[in-house]
Amino acid sequence: MVHYRKILELHDEGISLRGIASSTGHSRQKVTEIIGLAEKKGLVCPLEEEMTDKWIEEFLFPEKTLEASGRQPLNFDYIHEELAKPNVTLSLLHHEYEAECRASQKIPYSYRSFLRHYSNYADKYKATLRIRRKPGEIMEVDWAGSTAFIIDRDTGEKVKAYVFVATLPCSQLSYAEASLSMDSHSWITLHNNAYKYFGGTTQIVVPDNLKTSVTKHTTRELILNPAYKEMADYYNTVVMPARVRTPKDKASVEGSVGVISTWIIAALRNTHCFTIDELNEEVWKKLDEFNKRPFTRKKGSRWSAFEEEEKFALSPLPLAPYKMSEWKKTTVAPDYHVSFDSMFYSVPYEYINREVEVRVTDNLIEVFFNHMRIASHKRLYGKFGQTTTIHDHMPDNHKLFVDQTPEVAIEWAENIGESTLSVIRYLLDTSQTEKLALQSIFSLKKFERRYTKYEIERACKMVLSMTKRPTVKSIQTLLKTNKKNDAEQELKRKTDINKNNYGFTRGASYYGGTDK
C-alpha cells in the first residue's frame, strides 16, 4: 500500500522529494505524481482523521476501483468540472458518457451506478475543495443583524448605519456596504454596487422576504416588489426568495453575515466616522482584508477562489447600471393629466377617471394601464405646477383650441379670401392681448361648420364696406341675414317660375270654330 498520508504530511513539513522517497520507500516519480495530483485536487494539510491512505487513494485515483468491473471508467474530474457550468446536469453527462461508450464499443455504467460512484467521489471532493455550488449561479443577499454607526457632527449622537451583505456561495466572496436607510431605493442601489464589485451578474438572486423584495410569498403565490422585479429583469436574473423562517435557503450569506459582523462591524466599533462615505471607506478596507484572508484549512482565499473558479461564469454587466424607479397608483383627472410631485403629465383623454400605474425614474415618467404603457414624458423639475401635454392626448375640440396661433389664423384666412384676411389682421393688431384675438378668430373659424367659404368672405367684405372696426358679432349677424335673404330670394325665384309657367293654348280654328 502506498503511504499517501505520510507523503503529503512530509511534503507539508518542507521535506525534499528525495527525503520523502527515502522515508516512504517509493520512487521520486511516484511521490511527485501524488503531490502534484493532491495539489491539483486541493487536498492539503492538515488532513482530517478520516483521510486514511485508502481514502486518499480513492480520492486521487477513483478510476482504480472501477477498472476491475470491466466497464468504461468514469472521468470524475471532467464530470465535476462540467457540472460547474450553467445548465449542465448529471443526466446530460450520463447520456454523453453512454454515447461515448457506444462509439468505442465499451460497456457503460447504468445511470444509478453512475450517480452512486459520482456521489462517493463528490463527498470526498467537497471535503477538500471549495466548490459546493455552480459558479455564477447564485448571489445571496441580506442585511446584517448588527449595525454600525456614524457620529452626528452637530449633536455628537450615534446614528445607526445598516450593513448590506451579498455573497457568492461558490467562492464565498462577499460584498458589504453601509447605508443609512433600509428602504427600496437603498436596497436596489446596493445591489447595483454589489454587481459592480463582482464584475458581473448571477443567474439567481436569493433575498430574504423583506418588503423591499417581496410583496407576497406563500406556497401558492409569489408577488415581487415591482421595482425589485424590474431590476432583476434588467440584469437578466431570477429572484428566488428564501422560504419564510428557512435560513438554510441562503446559508452562505447567513454565515457571511456572522463573520462580517465580527471582522468588519465589530472591528470598526472604536472607529469614529462622521459621514456614510467615511464609514464605507473603512468598511471596504476591512472587506478587502476579509476576502483576501487565507483559508484556515485550504490554500488560497475567497478572492483567489473567485478569480479561479467563479469569475468566468458571471454574466456580463449591462453598459449602464440599473436606474432606480418608483411606482405609484393614481387616477387620471378630468383634465386627462396625472400628478407626481406637484407636476402634471398628460395621458390619452380616453383614460379619464381610470386607475393607472405611474413609473418614475430620475429622468422619465411612464404611465401604464393594464401593464400597457400609454404615455411617457421627460420628468419635470423646478417650479411646482408645471404641466406637459402631448397634442395627441387631447380631445378633438381641445386640439382645435390649442392649435390657434397667429400663423395658423392667417393661413386659414388666406384660404378664404382677401376680405377675411383683412378682418383677421385687424383682430390680431387691435386686440388687447393675443389670447383675446385668437379666441375671437376661433369663434369666426367655427362658422365654417355652417357656412361656405364664399358666404364668410362675402360677409367680411360687407362688414369692411360698412365699418373700419369689424367684429365677429357683426360678421355673424350678416351671415345670418345673408343666409335668410338668400333663402327668401330662392323661394321667390321658384314661385315666379311657377306663375309664368303657361301651357300651349290652341285657337278656336283648331276645333273648327271661327275666330272673331
Side-chain angles (χ1 to χ4, degrees):
M1 184 70 179
V2 178
H3 302 292
Y4 294 100
R5 185 181 179 101
K6 187 174 182 181
I7 290 172
L8 296 177
E9 289 176 343
L10 290 174
H11 175 67
D12 185 60
E13 292 174 6
I15 306 299
S16 66
L17 295 178
R18 187 185 298 275
I20 296 173
S22 300
S23 299
T24 58
H26 303 300
S27 66
R28 277 187 293 171
Q29 290 81 358
K30 186 65 174 177
V31 170
T32 303
E33 179 188 10
I34 292 171
I35 293 173
L37 207 56
E39 289 179 348
K40 180 182 177 181
K41 294 192 173 185
L43 185 61
V44 295
C45 294
L47 301 174
E48 301 289 344
E49 291 183 5
E50 64 178 15
M51 295 180 182
T52 61
D53 288 337
K54 184 178 181 181
W55 189 99
I56 296 172
E57 182 180 55
E58 290 177 354
F59 176 65
L60 297 180
F61 305 99
E63 63 277 1
K64 285 188 176 182
T65 60
L66 304 178
E67 287 175 353
S69 67
R71 300 179 184 273
Q72 174 72 4
L74 303 177
N75 187 341
F76 291 108
D77 290 339
Y78 170 79
I79 295 171
H80 205 75
E81 289 174 2
E82 290 300 302
L83 270 180
K85 297 177 180 179
N87 303 318
V88 177
T89 63
L90 284 170
S91 177
L92 173 64
L93 293 173
H94 180 259
H95 175 76
E96 294 174 348
Y97 163 73
E98 282 187 322
E100 182 183 347
C101 290
R102 285 194 297 270
S104 59
Q105 297 183 346
K106 300 284 183 67
I107 303 173
Y109 280 98
S110 67
Y111 183 59
R112 178 176 292 183
S113 298
F114 182 89
L115 290 181
R116 185 180 71 254
H117 289 306
Y118 176 72
S119 178
N120 293 335
Y121 172 82
D123 287 341
K124 294 181 174 65
Y125 201 77
K126 288 181 181 180
T128 58
L129 290 187
R130 293 175 287 270
I131 295 181
R132 291 175 172 81
R133 300 265 184 109
K134 287 188 178 183
E137 182 182 38
I138 294 176
M139 179 177 78
E140 298 174 359
V141 293
D142 203 355
W143 294 103
S146 304
T147 57
F149 66 90
I150 62 173
I151 297 176
D152 189 310
R153 290 182 183 274
D154 298 326
T155 64
E157 295 179 356
K158 290 184 178 181
V159 179
K160 280 186 179 180
Y162 309 94
V163 179
F164 168 85
V165 181
T167 299
L168 302 177
C170 174
S171 61
Q172 294 296 305
L173 185 72
S174 293
Y175 175 74
E177 183 176 346
S179 171
L180 293 176
S181 173
M182 298 173 73
D183 61 12
S184 181
H185 188 277
S186 300
W187 179 246
I188 290 177
T189 299
L190 294 169
H191 277 68
N192 281 339
N193 296 344
Y195 284 133
K196 182 179 178 181
Y197 179 79
F198 295 138
T201 63
T202 57
Q203 299 173 41
I204 300 170
V205 58
V206 181
D208 213 336
N209 286 275
L210 305 169
K211 288 185 178 180
T212 50
S213 305
V214 180
T215 302
K216 184 178 182 181
H217 189 189
T218 65
T219 55
R220 296 183 178 180
E221 187 176 19
L222 170 63
I223 301 176
L224 298 176
N225 180 294
Y228 195 59
K229 182 179 184 301
E230 190 177 81
M231 180 212 72
D233 291 342
Y234 183 80
Y235 285 114
N236 198 27
T237 187
V238 177
V239 178
M240 295 180 63
R243 290 169 294 173
V244 179
R245 293 185 294 276
T246 312
K248 287 186 178 181
D249 284 359
K250 50 185 181 65
S252 295
V253 75
E254 293 285 350
S256 297
V257 163
V259 177
I260 284 175
S261 295
T262 299
W263 289 93
I264 295 181
I265 300 176
L268 295 175
R269 65 190 183 280
N270 296 321
T271 303
H272 293 171
C273 300
F274 298 96
T275 66
I276 194 66
D277 292 334
E278 289 180 12
L279 176 60
N280 275 322
E281 288 295 329
E282 298 298 325
V283 167
W284 292 330
K285 288 179 184 177
K286 295 293 183 182
L287 177 68
D288 189 61
E289 294 176 9
F290 171 74
N291 282 329
K292 292 180 179 178
R293 189 161 54 92
F295 289 119
T296 54
R297 293 190 172 185
K298 310 166 190 175
K299 287 186 178 180
S301 62
R302 288 175 172 82
W303 186 261
S304 64
F306 169 74
E307 291 283 340
E308 296 168 9
E309 300 169 4
E310 187 157 27
K311 187 175 182 179
F312 77 93
L314 295 178
S315 301
L317 290 171
L319 293 177
Y322 170 73
K323 291 185 179 179
M324 173 64 185
S325 64
E326 181 180 347
W327 289 80
K328 63 169 286 189
K329 289 185 177 181
T330 187
T331 301
V332 180
D335 64 354
Y336 51 89
H337 284 70
V338 294
S339 170
F340 186 83
D341 276 355
S342 299
M343 304 293 185
F344 301 92
Y345 307 88
S346 69
V347 301
Y349 72 93
E350 293 91 347
Y351 295 95
I352 290 174
N353 294 328
R354 298 290 187 92
E355 186 178 65
V356 296
E357 288 185 302
V358 181
R359 177 180 177 267
V360 184
T361 65
D362 292 340
N363 302 314
L364 191 66
I365 298 284
E366 294 177 291
V367 184
F368 293 82
F369 179 75
N370 287 343
H371 309 292
M372 179 181 69
R373 188 173 70 176
I374 58 174
S376 64
H377 299 270
K378 185 177 180 181
R379 187 172 178 181
L380 299 174
Y381 289 98
K383 184 179 178 181
F384 287 170
Q386 295 182 68
T387 301
T388 176
T389 305
I390 295 176
H391 185 269
D392 289 341
H393 292 169
M394 300 178 181
D396 291 340
N397 57 336
H398 287 203
K399 289 179 184 178
L400 286 173
F401 182 78
V402 171
D403 286 344
Q404 300 312 306
T405 63
E407 294 76 17
V408 172
I410 290 173
E411 182 180 353
W412 174 79
E414 287 175 344
N415 291 328
I416 301 296
E418 289 295 330
S419 299
T420 306
L421 179 59
S422 298
V423 172
I424 295 299
R425 291 190 184 279
Y426 171 79
L427 293 173
L428 289 171
D429 293 339
T430 59
S431 294
Q432 294 179 353
T433 63
E434 183 180 281
K435 185 175 181 180
L436 289 174
L438 292 174
Q439 286 178 347
S440 298
I441 294 170
F442 181 65
S443 299
L444 181 58
K445 288 176 70 175
K446 287 197 295 184
F447 294 156
E448 201 172 11
R449 299 176 184 176
R450 297 181 59 189
Y451 303 99
T452 65
K453 292 182 178 181
Y454 167 76
E455 290 174 320
I456 295 173
E457 174 65 13
R458 184 178 63 168
C460 290
K461 187 175 182 178
M462 292 175 67
V463 165
L464 290 174
S465 67
M466 298 175 189
T467 178
K468 293 182 179 181
R469 296 180 180 180
T471 64
V472 174
K473 185 67 176 176
S474 62
I475 294 173
Q476 183 182 23
T477 301
L478 279 172
L479 283 168
K480 290 180 179 179
T481 303
N482 291 342
K483 191 82 169 179
K484 182 179 179 182
N485 291 339
D486 290 346
E488 289 176 350
Q489 288 180 9
E490 180 65 18
L491 180 62
K492 183 180 179 181
R493 186 181 65 80
K494 289 181 179 180
T495 303
D496 290 343
I497 290 174
N498 290 332
K499 286 180 180 181
N500 297 322
N501 189 15
Y502 301 105
F504 180 77
T505 306
R506 295 177 176 86
S509 61
Y510 179 81
Y511 298 100
T514 302
D515 291 332
K516 294 181 179 180

